[in-house]
Amino acid sequence: MRTAEIGQRFVDFFAGKGHTVVPSASLLYNDPTLLFVNAGMVPFKPYLMGTEPSPWKRATSIQKCVRTLDIDEVGKTTRHGTFFQMLGNFSFGDYFKSEAIQYAWELVTKPADQGGLGFDPSSIWVTVLGPGFHPDYPEGDIEAREAWRAAGVPDGHIQGRSLKDNYWHMGVPGPGGPCSEIYIDRGPAYGPDGGPEADEDRYLEIWNLVFETEDLSAVRAKDDFDIAGPLRSLNIDTGAGLERIAYLLQGVDNMYETDQVFPVIAKASEMSGKRYGANHDDDIRLRVVADHVRSGLMLMTDGVTPGNEARGYVLRRLLRRVVRAMRLLGVADPVLPELLPVSRDLMADSFPDVLTEWDRVISAATAEEETFRRTLSAGTAMLDAAVIDTKVSGSKTLSGEKAFQLHDTYGFPIDLTLEMAAEQGLEVDRDKFTALMAEQRARAKADSKTKKGLLTDPEAYAQIRALGETPFLGYTDLTVNTTVTG
Ligand code: ATP
Ligand code: MG
Ligand code: MG
Ligand code: MG
């Protein structure tokens, strides 16, 4: 089943259960706490919170999502994309836990020739909030456990887990609640027995059912938050990974090998002469290329332009990582004009905007690649010299001053310096680099209090700091998206 067909099947199923099909919101949907939409519920937040009346009691959608927090996993795990589509069904004070569980079970197990997803019931595992983690659930989420039992899941396939896994919130104040997740056992070839608690590569998480009941006033970590009180209604918010379901149903190894992504790998492989499947590191690069090309395409289509401001910077990093990965695969010519059209043609069925916005997208991407190629050739010569000096001096650490100079003189981003130094077996003195960056920022701020220069825009910093899981280190990390329950 093609990815687009699976998505259609999901929303058709819920339309048949009285849900209104709501089109995907833009990735830039205007929620001030987020850089990008990172879950299907984001456009529905006011209805879940009860701050606005919902136009529908039940809704279903295929929402475009970007999770930059997952960038380091891309290509290494089988299941993390920076861009993916989240399927969801939502109830705003209408049905609740047991119905949500019944619906999910029905769709997942119904045979494919009857409109379902056709998973073998014996391969399904589920998790619920375990006992002792939440004051309102001293014995765990008994209701959810009961509903799964009633659906036919054997006790041995229901695992209780902690708040970290079975309580969902946005990573910022907003709605939250216990959740229950559905996993598919891919079989012993993928890891040890023991259910999702034992191994999340073998047991693949496909669907999270969130029972949104609480209004969170502060969120410090996945399992550390303050509850302001109950929400005005008991809501259902579910999220299923379309690409994850697709790779299982298509019988391929990972989400980059599905019909909507793999042809980009094939193109990159053809351009580089590197056969996919021949070399572990090259395979990761090819998957990164395919993933980032698609995220870049979707972000640009929704109106992001490469730049130094928060969203533009994320896009810039994604595009530059493609260029870098292709270089490491041996391709020195421009790559984006070759790769982006492949992704465009794959995504056009589901998102026709990629065609109507194309001219703008390809000219922005081409210009960005040109700029980066100039940066690369100037900075690489300096970095190579610095690497040799470092090695000759017997050190294993490239100095923070050098990294800063590369950044300051050549616009060489620190992540690139880190990556390129690592390829030569060197570390970088990041603390010193960060200190020099901070000094420079302080100077710039003192210099021009009024100038809204992007590296001195305190609002942008505050936003990213508020969202980041790690301390903000200048625009060095892509991990600026909000935390999401793992
Ligand atoms: P994981 O534990 O695998 O990182 P998650 O628990 O962070 O996933 P949720 O926040 O529960 O994911 O999101 C709901 C669903 O969206 C997941 O069950 C999964 O199917 C899908 N999903 C989440 N992150 C990604 C991603 N980076 N790429 C593709 N699909 C994803
Ligand atoms: Mg989850
Ligand atoms: Mg998870
Ligand atoms: Mg995750």
Side-chain angles (χ1 to χ4, degrees):
M1 230 187 302
R2 289 188 312 120
T3 302
E5 287 174 56
I6 298 167
Q8 194 58 46
R9 204 165 261 229
F10 185 98
V11 294
D12 284 350
F13 175 85
F14 282 104
K17 308 274 184 204
H19 293 63
T20 301
V21 182
V22 180
S24 176
S26 160
L27 285 165
L28 310 188
Y29 176 82
N30 190 22
D31 181 314
T33 62
L34 295 175
L35 274 189
F36 303 117
V37 170
N38 63 0
M41 54 73 68
V42 170
F44 301 124
K45 189 171 139 193
Y47 314 139
L48 296 166
M49 292 295 286
T51 51
E52 279 177 40
S54 170
W56 335 272
K57 287 228 163 276
R58 302 172 173 212
T60 179
S61 65
I62 306 175
Q63 175 62 48
K64 298 180 267 191
C65 293
V66 164
R67 282 194 186 178
T68 52
L69 198 68
D70 288 341
I71 192 163
D72 289 329
E73 314 296 333
V74 171
K76 297 178 192 150
T77 72
T78 63
R79 65 183 196 277
H80 289 105
T82 51
F83 172 87
F84 64 98
Q85 297 154 75
M86 200 185 285
L87 307 167
N89 58 292
F90 303 87
S91 155
F92 309 107
D94 191 23
Y95 64 86
F96 196 50
K97 210 175 282 189
S98 60
E99 295 91 324
I101 287 174
Q102 274 164 30
Y103 288 156
W105 180 257
E106 182 184 338
L107 176 58
V108 167
T109 57
K110 192 192 269 198
D113 58 11
Q114 293 168 34
L117 299 177
F119 285 104
D120 172 1
S122 70
S123 70
I124 298 173
W125 287 64
V126 299
T127 60
V128 298
L129 183 64
F133 296 113
H134 189 297
D136 293 348
Y137 302 85
E139 293 171 68
D141 193 344
I142 298 170
E143 234 184 305
R145 192 177 273 274
E146 273 311 315
W148 285 118
R149 266 199 204 119
V153 182
D155 261 341
H157 280 209
I158 308 177
Q159 290 190 318
R161 298 182 85 183
S162 72
L163 290 176
K164 262 198 169 109
D165 290 292
N166 283 81
Y167 191 96
W168 200 89
H169 54 64
M170 297 174 72
V172 290
C179 63
S180 182
E181 297 194 315
I182 303 177
Y183 291 76
I184 304 294
D185 181 3
R186 306 181 71 195
Y190 290 91
D193 293 342
E197 186 68 14
D199 189 299
E200 290 205 4
D201 285 324
R202 167 165 170 182
Y203 299 90
L204 178 72
E205 177 189 332
I206 58 163
W207 198 348
N208 189 355
L209 315 180
V210 186
F211 314 124
E212 266 172 17
T213 45
E214 293 175 334
D215 177 1
L216 307 186
S217 55
V219 173
R220 288 170 296 274
K222 286 174 184 174
D223 52 355
D224 184 12
F225 46 81
D226 298 333
I227 301 165
L231 291 174
R232 285 174 218 181
S233 57
L234 303 179
N235 304 313
I236 290 299
D237 151 25
T238 85
L242 174 54
E243 286 77 2
R244 292 188 185 183
I245 294 172
Y247 84 76
L248 291 174
L249 295 184
Q250 292 174 11
V252 293
D253 176 67
N254 57 63
M255 66 171 278
Y256 325 97
E257 294 178 13
T258 57
D259 61 311
Q260 271 185 352
V261 186
F262 187 73
V264 181
I265 292 186
K267 179 71 184 180
S269 163
E270 175 200 313
M271 289 165 71
S272 60
K274 305 279 187 200
R275 192 172 60 78
Y276 185 63
N279 173 287
H280 178 73
D281 290 343
D282 286 347
D283 286 353
I284 292 177
R285 288 178 188 127
L286 288 165
R287 292 193 284 261
V288 164
V289 165
D291 172 82
H292 291 10
V293 161
R294 185 163 80 142
S295 324
L297 170 76
M298 299 309 288
L299 284 169
M300 288 187 284
T301 298
D302 278 0
V304 186
T305 308
N308 283 333
E309 132 294 329
R311 283 171 169 164
Y313 188 76
V314 170
L315 170 62
R316 168 163 281 170
R317 271 210 63 194
L318 289 166
L319 296 177
R320 291 182 172 200
R321 279 172 63 112
V322 172
V323 176
R324 277 272 305 145
M326 288 299 284
R327 267 199 187 214
L328 293 170
L329 290 165
V331 182
D333 290 337
V335 297
L336 294 176
E338 304 279 324
L339 295 169
L340 279 165
V342 179
S343 189
R344 174 200 61 194
D345 294 344
L346 296 167
M347 299 306 290
D349 266 0
S350 300
F351 303 100
D353 282 6
V354 298
L355 297 174
T356 51
E357 300 299 314
W358 176 249
D359 289 348
R360 184 178 53 74
V361 167
I362 193 62
S363 73
T366 306
E368 176 64 13
E369 184 165 8
E370 266 319 301
T371 310
F372 185 52
R373 286 163 61 81
R374 282 197 298 272
T375 298
L376 262 184
S377 45
T380 305
M382 180 177 172
L383 180 69
D384 287 348
V387 165
I388 291 170
D389 286 352
T390 308
K391 285 186 172 168
V392 167
S393 77
S395 165
K396 286 220 157 282
T397 309
L398 192 83
S399 75
E401 285 85 355
K402 239 337 153 207
F404 180 73
Q405 198 186 346
L406 275 161
H407 169 91
D408 206 37
T409 316
Y410 297 105
F412 226 55
I414 181 66
D415 54 279
L416 190 57
T417 305
L418 288 170
E419 258 177 56
M420 291 178 70
E423 279 154 24
Q424 303 278 345
L426 295 184
E427 298 191 333
V428 176
D429 183 350
R430 258 190 105 145
D431 290 347
K432 182 70 190 174
F433 172 82
T434 308
L436 291 169
M437 287 293 287
E439 273 174 35
Q440 189 194 45
R441 273 201 298 274
R443 272 198 307 276
K445 207 171 170 187
D447 282 356
S448 86
K449 282 230 161 85
T450 49
K451 184 175 148 234
K452 268 230 162 182
L454 290 161
L455 283 175
T456 57
D457 181 346
E459 216 171 281
Y461 278 142
Q463 189 194 23
I464 293 176
R465 245 198 320 270
L467 298 171
E469 232 189 5
T470 45
F472 184 52
L473 303 171
Y475 287 104
T476 57
D477 285 318
L478 258 184
T479 51
V480 292
N481 226 335
T482 185
T483 312
V484 280
T485 301

Short mmCIF file of all heavy atoms in Angstrom, two decimals, residues 234-255:
data_model
loop_
_atom_site.label_atom_id
_atom_site.label_comp_id
_atom_site.label_asym_id
_atom_site.label_seq_id
_atom_site.Cartn_x
_atom_site.Cartn_y
_atom_site.Cartn_z
N LEU A 234 -12.94 16.16 28.87
CA LEU A 234 -12.05 15.02 28.65
C LEU A 234 -11.90 14.84 27.15
O LEU A 234 -12.89 14.67 26.44
CB LEU A 234 -12.67 13.75 29.25
CG LEU A 234 -13.01 13.80 30.74
CD1 LEU A 234 -13.65 12.48 31.19
CD2 LEU A 234 -11.75 14.09 31.57
N ASN A 235 -10.66 14.92 26.66
CA ASN A 235 -10.44 14.90 25.23
C ASN A 235 -9.58 13.71 24.79
O ASN A 235 -8.80 13.19 25.58
CB ASN A 235 -9.70 16.17 24.79
CG ASN A 235 -10.44 17.42 25.21
OD1 ASN A 235 -11.65 17.53 25.02
ND2 ASN A 235 -9.71 18.35 25.82
N ILE A 236 -9.73 13.40 23.52
CA ILE A 236 -8.85 12.39 22.91
C ILE A 236 -8.01 13.07 21.84
O ILE A 236 -8.52 13.86 21.04
CB ILE A 236 -9.69 11.26 22.26
CG1 ILE A 236 -10.37 10.41 23.32
CG2 ILE A 236 -8.81 10.38 21.35
CD1 ILE A 236 -9.42 9.71 24.27
N ASP A 237 -6.71 12.77 21.88
CA ASP A 237 -5.76 13.30 20.89
C ASP A 237 -4.85 12.14 20.54
O ASP A 237 -4.12 11.66 21.40
CB ASP A 237 -4.98 14.46 21.54
CG ASP A 237 -3.59 14.62 20.96
OD1 ASP A 237 -3.35 14.22 19.81
OD2 ASP A 237 -2.71 15.15 21.69
N THR A 238 -4.93 11.66 19.32
CA THR A 238 -4.03 10.54 18.99
C THR A 238 -3.08 10.94 17.88
O THR A 238 -3.36 11.84 17.08
CB THR A 238 -4.79 9.26 18.54
OG1 THR A 238 -5.09 9.34 17.14
CG2 THR A 238 -6.06 9.04 19.36
N GLY A 239 -1.95 10.27 17.83
CA GLY A 239 -0.96 10.53 16.77
C GLY A 239 -0.33 9.23 16.32
O GLY A 239 0.24 8.49 17.12
N ALA A 240 -0.48 8.94 15.03
CA ALA A 240 0.14 7.74 14.47
C ALA A 240 1.11 8.16 13.38
O ALA A 240 0.82 9.07 12.60
CB ALA A 240 -0.93 6.81 13.89
N GLY A 241 2.26 7.52 13.34
CA GLY A 241 3.27 7.89 12.36
C GLY A 241 2.98 7.23 11.02
O GLY A 241 3.14 6.02 10.87
N LEU A 242 2.59 8.03 10.04
CA LEU A 242 2.24 7.47 8.72
C LEU A 242 3.43 6.72 8.11
O LEU A 242 3.29 5.61 7.60
CB LEU A 242 1.76 8.60 7.79
CG LEU A 242 1.49 8.22 6.33
CD1 LEU A 242 0.53 7.04 6.21
CD2 LEU A 242 0.93 9.43 5.58
N GLU A 243 4.60 7.32 8.17
CA GLU A 243 5.77 6.68 7.55
C GLU A 243 6.13 5.36 8.24
O GLU A 243 6.62 4.43 7.61
CB GLU A 243 6.99 7.61 7.60
CG GLU A 243 6.94 8.77 6.61
CD GLU A 243 6.02 9.91 7.02
OE1 GLU A 243 5.42 9.83 8.12
OE2 GLU A 243 5.88 10.87 6.24
N ARG A 244 5.88 5.32 9.55
CA ARG A 244 6.20 4.07 10.28
C ARG A 244 5.26 2.95 9.86
O ARG A 244 5.68 1.82 9.63
CB ARG A 244 6.12 4.31 11.79
CG ARG A 244 7.22 5.24 12.26
CD ARG A 244 7.27 5.31 13.77
NE ARG A 244 8.26 6.31 14.19
CZ ARG A 244 8.55 6.55 15.45
NH1 ARG A 244 7.94 5.88 16.42
NH2 ARG A 244 9.46 7.46 15.75
N ILE A 245 3.97 3.28 9.78
CA ILE A 245 3.01 2.27 9.33
C ILE A 245 3.37 1.85 7.91
O ILE A 245 3.35 0.67 7.56
CB ILE A 245 1.58 2.83 9.42
CG1 ILE A 245 1.22 3.08 10.89
CG2 ILE A 245 0.58 1.88 8.78
CD1 ILE A 245 -0.08 3.81 11.11
N ALA A 246 3.73 2.84 7.09
CA ALA A 246 4.04 2.55 5.69
C ALA A 246 5.23 1.60 5.58
O ALA A 246 5.21 0.67 4.77
CB ALA A 246 4.32 3.85 4.93
N TYR A 247 6.26 1.81 6.36
CA TYR A 247 7.41 0.92 6.13
C TYR A 247 7.14 -0.49 6.60
O TYR A 247 7.64 -1.45 6.02
CB TYR A 247 8.73 1.53 6.61
CG TYR A 247 9.20 1.44 8.02
CD1 TYR A 247 9.74 0.26 8.53
CD2 TYR A 247 9.22 2.56 8.83
CE1 TYR A 247 10.25 0.20 9.81
CE2 TYR A 247 9.72 2.51 10.12
CZ TYR A 247 10.23 1.33 10.61
OH TYR A 247 10.74 1.27 11.87
N LEU A 248 6.29 -0.61 7.63
CA LEU A 248 5.91 -1.96 8.04
C LEU A 248 5.07 -2.63 6.95
O LEU A 248 5.31 -3.77 6.57
CB LEU A 248 5.11 -1.91 9.35
CG LEU A 248 5.91 -1.50 10.58
CD1 LEU A 248 4.98 -1.34 11.79
CD2 LEU A 248 7.00 -2.52 10.89
N LEU A 249 4.08 -1.90 6.44
CA LEU A 249 3.17 -2.50 5.46
C LEU A 249 3.87 -2.72 4.12
O LEU A 249 3.47 -3.59 3.35
CB LEU A 249 1.91 -1.64 5.28
CG LEU A 249 1.00 -1.54 6.51
CD1 LEU A 249 -0.27 -0.75 6.17
CD2 LEU A 249 0.62 -2.92 7.04
N GLN A 250 4.88 -1.93 3.83
CA GLN A 250 5.59 -2.10 2.56
C GLN A 250 6.71 -3.13 2.66
O GLN A 250 7.40 -3.41 1.68
CB GLN A 250 6.12 -0.74 2.06
CG GLN A 250 4.96 0.18 1.66
CD GLN A 250 5.38 1.60 1.29
OE1 GLN A 250 6.57 1.89 1.12
NE2 GLN A 250 4.41 2.49 1.17
N GLY A 251 6.89 -3.66 3.87
CA GLY A 251 7.88 -4.72 4.05
C GLY A 251 9.32 -4.26 3.85
O GLY A 251 10.18 -5.04 3.47
N VAL A 252 9.58 -2.97 4.09
CA VAL A 252 10.97 -2.49 3.98
C VAL A 252 11.53 -2.27 5.38
O VAL A 252 10.81 -2.34 6.38
CB VAL A 252 11.07 -1.21 3.11
CG1 VAL A 252 10.73 -1.54 1.67
CG2 VAL A 252 10.21 -0.09 3.65
N ASP A 253 12.81 -1.97 5.45
CA ASP A 253 13.51 -1.96 6.74
C ASP A 253 13.29 -0.68 7.54
O ASP A 253 13.39 -0.69 8.76
CB ASP A 253 15.01 -2.16 6.47
CG ASP A 253 15.81 -2.07 7.76
OD1 ASP A 253 15.62 -2.97 8.60
OD2 ASP A 253 16.57 -1.09 7.93
N ASN A 254 13.04 0.43 6.89
CA ASN A 254 13.01 1.70 7.62
C ASN A 254 12.19 2.74 6.85
O ASN A 254 11.83 2.50 5.70
CB ASN A 254 14.44 2.21 7.85
CG ASN A 254 15.18 2.36 6.53
OD1 ASN A 254 14.77 3.17 5.68
ND2 ASN A 254 16.23 1.60 6.33
N MET A 255 11.94 3.87 7.50
CA MET A 255 11.02 4.85 6.91
C MET A 255 11.60 5.58 5.69
O MET A 255 10.87 6.22 4.96
CB MET A 255 10.53 5.87 7.94
CG MET A 255 11.60 6.78 8.50
SD MET A 255 10.88 8.11 9.51
CE MET A 255 10.39 9.29 8.26
#
